Amino acid sequence: MQRYDWLGAGLRYRLTLATGVLECLCFAGVLFGYASLVFVLKEDGYFSQLCVSDPVTNSTGPILDCSRQDEQFSLVFTVAAFLNNFLNLINGYLFDRFGTMVTRLLGICLYTTGTLLLAFSSAAFSELLFPALSFIAVGGILLLLTNMQVGNLFAAHRSTVITLYNGAFDSSACVFLIIKVLHEQGISLRSSLLVVSFCSALHLARTFLLMPRTYIPYTPPQHYTYGLNCGKSNSYNVERFEGTRDGAMTSLQESSGRDDVPAARQDGTQEASFRSCVLSWFFLWHLLWLSIIQLRHYLFIGTLNPMLNRLADNDPDLVSQYTNAFAITQLCGVLCAPWNGLIMDRHKGKPLAPGETEQEADLNSSSLSLFLTSLQCLLFSVCASVPLLPLQYITFVLQVLNRSFLYGGNAAFISIAFPARHFGKLYGLVMSMSALVSLLQYPCFTLVKGALGGDPFFVDVALIVVSLLGFMHPAYVFTHCRRAARKREDSAQKDVANS
């Protein structure tokens, strides 16, 4: 009977993993395919009343100035992207407080409402884009948040699974590309979005059949089951299980003489409080790292359509070609993200150094991931600042690679550096605070369109300089790990001398 349960649990784990990847790939992050959607919306006349005739004429007639239309589309993305991150503070609290089922039901409700609003919007009701895209964004991030805990089922590959889900989230940007292609074949935007709305029934089925009611613990006890159970499953208290595990980790950390890791309290009696985690250098550097790189990506995505129009001399066929190329590269996110997880999990299965805790080993591996992500952002920013249209193919590749490393690495680092019971709140807080920084994308866009006359060169250079600050985070994590190693060596030498 135990063997039957074990096989059943293993099959359930794999089904949960596979269906979660499909859910994130097909739905969760569609907002970031916004450039493809904008192309469709412009053809359907959204915000077209903001285009005005330029007094300059050419052989084909008056030139339309649609800069205000572009600005409005940029504002839609700015608002949706801001809420996508800022509301994560509330989302994280809801997840930690009420568990998976409640959080997913809320996310499905918001997501379906958003797709229906977008389906029934029109050029006459262009303002519906604001609530529609915002609901889709928030609902999608809730689906991702509840899926990332599936990594706990695969302890040896936890970071790899987390980054895989984030990569699938990024790759779902291709959904709007599919809608764009279908639109060019005569299928209306409304029909496509109604199909997406009806797929919410699949999310509901997965919520009740293949997801836990509360949480998946790290690591799950033997024969752990959840969802629809045909047999008897282990019963236990998840909160008590996590508290026991984190308490044991705290004791190990204190016994190794560490004094600056946020996952441990100095009194050695209990895990770190949420407040002490937020005030730690780990959190502050991580927040700065995420905010800088995310701002660069949001500004790039939100201004991609007008940038392509400028570089292609407003050739609609050429703009469509590059828009499709950008959306297709987003598919690679699900392939690129696990590389980051493999980097972070590369030490798994190897013996720990004398006195080294599992968390220290995880942190040491994460420093390389953080450094590579910062380096990718720098290269991406440099390519994006060069006004050469063919070079943008390389920019697209670097962008999707960096974005897949960024969000997977963000979630994996938080799960490593801080207590498990604070994951939802800390993930929500860091995303919310980085969202405030991402609001700078709109004044940057306005500055380019206004004072800089449409030339983003100086803004791009400024972002390249700011992106250099991102290297401070991996440097801090690396030096912290070196200090911890030296303390272990000094402690071992003292023990030898005393003996």
Side-chain angles (χ1 to χ4, degrees):
M1 183 65 181
Q2 287 184 346
R3 180 172 176 80
Y4 173 80
D5 288 343
W6 182 82
L7 286 173
L11 178 60
R12 182 179 284 111
Y13 293 177
R14 290 190 290 272
L15 282 174
T16 300
L17 174 62
T19 56
V21 170
L22 289 175
E23 183 174 76
C24 290
L25 180 62
C26 299
F27 302 97
V30 296
L31 172 69
F32 299 102
Y34 185 67
S36 298
L37 180 64
V38 167
F39 196 89
V40 174
L41 296 175
K42 281 187 173 182
E43 287 193 344
D44 286 353
Y46 284 70
F47 298 123
S48 58
Q49 73 277 9
L50 298 177
C51 291
V52 295
S53 296
D54 194 291
V56 179
T57 60
N58 58 21
S59 58
T60 60
I63 297 177
L64 283 179
D65 178 9
C66 293
S67 59
R68 290 185 60 200
Q69 182 191 35
D70 289 336
E71 187 174 335
Q72 197 71 358
F73 279 125
S74 178
L75 183 59
V76 170
F77 180 78
T78 300
V79 172
F82 169 74
L83 293 176
N84 174 70
N85 285 350
F86 185 74
L87 291 182
N88 268 311
L89 179 59
I90 299 174
N91 297 342
Y93 173 79
L94 288 173
F95 179 63
D96 284 347
R97 176 67 178 83
F98 298 105
T100 303
M101 183 174 293
V102 171
T103 307
R104 283 183 61 83
L105 290 176
L106 174 61
I108 294 168
C109 180
L110 290 173
Y111 191 91
T112 307
T113 301
T115 54
L116 289 174
L117 282 174
L118 187 55
F120 289 101
S121 65
S122 64
F125 298 98
S126 300
E127 288 74 16
L128 282 177
L129 293 178
F130 286 96
L133 270 296
S134 298
F135 286 159
I136 289 173
V138 177
I141 200 69
L142 283 169
L143 295 178
L144 173 65
L145 179 62
T146 56
N147 275 313
M148 285 191 293
Q149 63 179 321
V150 175
N152 295 343
L153 297 173
F154 306 89
H157 306 286
R158 185 189 189 194
S159 295
T160 303
V161 172
I162 290 174
T163 54
L164 175 63
Y165 276 123
N166 280 270
F169 177 84
D170 292 338
S171 293
S172 64
C174 70
V175 171
F176 280 148
L177 169 63
I178 296 172
I179 291 176
K180 173 180 177 292
V181 172
L182 293 175
H183 187 269
E184 292 171 344
Q185 301 302 315
I187 298 177
S188 69
L189 179 64
R190 176 171 299 178
S191 299
S192 297
L193 287 166
L194 286 176
V195 171
V196 174
S197 301
F198 292 145
C199 287
S200 294
L202 301 177
H203 304 320
L204 286 173
R206 186 168 179 270
T207 299
F208 293 107
L209 301 180
L210 289 174
M211 293 297 285
R213 186 178 61 84
T214 53
Y215 323 99
I216 298 175
Y218 179 68
T219 54
Q222 191 177 19
H223 309 311
Y224 167 70
T225 59
Y226 52 85
L228 182 65
N229 288 319
C230 297
K232 185 177 180 180
S233 65
N234 290 6
S235 67
Y236 65 99
N237 184 287
V238 173
E239 190 172 292
R240 183 174 59 195
F241 180 87
E242 288 291 343
T244 302
R245 184 184 68 82
D246 290 330
M249 181 177 288
T250 299
S251 299
L252 286 172
Q253 291 161 347
E254 288 296 317
S255 65
S256 65
R258 297 166 67 192
D259 58 1
D260 58 350
V261 179
R265 286 182 64 93
Q266 300 305 311
D267 57 17
T269 58
Q270 56 182 329
E271 67 175 16
S273 66
F274 175 70
R275 181 176 181 274
S276 65
C277 291
V278 172
L279 296 179
S280 69
W281 281 109
F282 269 161
F283 183 86
L284 297 176
W285 281 120
H286 188 68
L287 173 62
L288 178 66
W289 174 83
L290 175 65
S291 300
I292 291 172
I293 301 177
Q294 181 175 260
L295 173 62
R296 188 66 193 93
H297 282 274
Y298 278 8
L299 185 62
F300 180 77
I301 296 172
T303 60
L304 180 62
N305 186 265
M307 181 194 77
L308 292 178
N309 274 294
R310 178 174 59 86
L311 296 180
D313 293 327
N314 293 307
D315 182 340
D317 293 332
L318 201 54
V319 172
S320 178
Q321 174 186 327
Y322 275 84
T323 300
N324 290 348
F326 172 73
I328 290 171
T329 57
Q330 301 306 299
L331 278 170
C332 299
V334 70
L335 303 177
C336 298
W339 301 350
N340 193 20
L342 292 172
I343 291 172
M344 302 184 81
D345 283 336
R346 68 188 187 279
H347 66 290
K348 298 291 188 181
K350 298 179 181 179
L352 298 175
E356 184 182 35
T357 64
E358 182 180 350
Q359 190 202 32
E360 286 177 353
D362 290 343
L363 284 171
N364 196 33
S365 291
S366 71
S367 61
L368 177 59
S369 166
L370 297 170
F371 172 79
L372 290 176
T373 306
S374 300
L375 180 61
Q376 293 162 3
C377 178
L378 179 62
L379 296 175
F380 155 59
S381 298
V382 171
C383 289
S385 65
V386 179
L388 185 64
L389 190 59
L391 183 63
Q392 299 315 306
Y393 286 122
I394 298 177
T395 304
F396 297 162
V397 172
L398 289 171
Q399 189 271 341
V400 71
L401 180 63
N402 185 226
R403 183 174 160 75
S404 62
F405 267 59
L406 175 65
Y407 289 108
N410 168 51
F413 180 81
I414 293 174
S415 71
I416 289 170
F418 304 102
R421 69 175 59 198
H422 297 318
F423 174 80
K425 294 185 289 292
L426 289 170
Y427 179 82
L429 181 61
V430 75
M431 295 296 283
S432 298
M433 296 180 72
S434 66
L436 295 174
V437 178
S438 71
L439 287 176
L440 292 174
Q441 64 179 299
Y442 186 68
C444 286
F445 179 81
T446 304
L447 176 64
V448 170
K449 283 293 183 180
L452 298 180
D455 186 357
F457 177 75
F458 291 106
V459 172
D460 288 337
V461 170
L463 289 172
I464 291 173
V465 174
V466 171
S467 68
L468 295 175
L469 293 175
F471 288 95
M472 298 298 294
H473 184 33
Y476 178 79
V477 175
F478 180 80
T479 55
H480 163 79
C481 293
R482 297 284 76 78
R483 286 197 304 266
R486 284 196 297 269
K487 284 184 179 181
R488 288 196 307 271
E489 292 175 1
D490 294 342
S491 178
Q493 292 175 358
K494 289 180 181 179
D495 291 342
V496 171
N498 292 335
S499 61

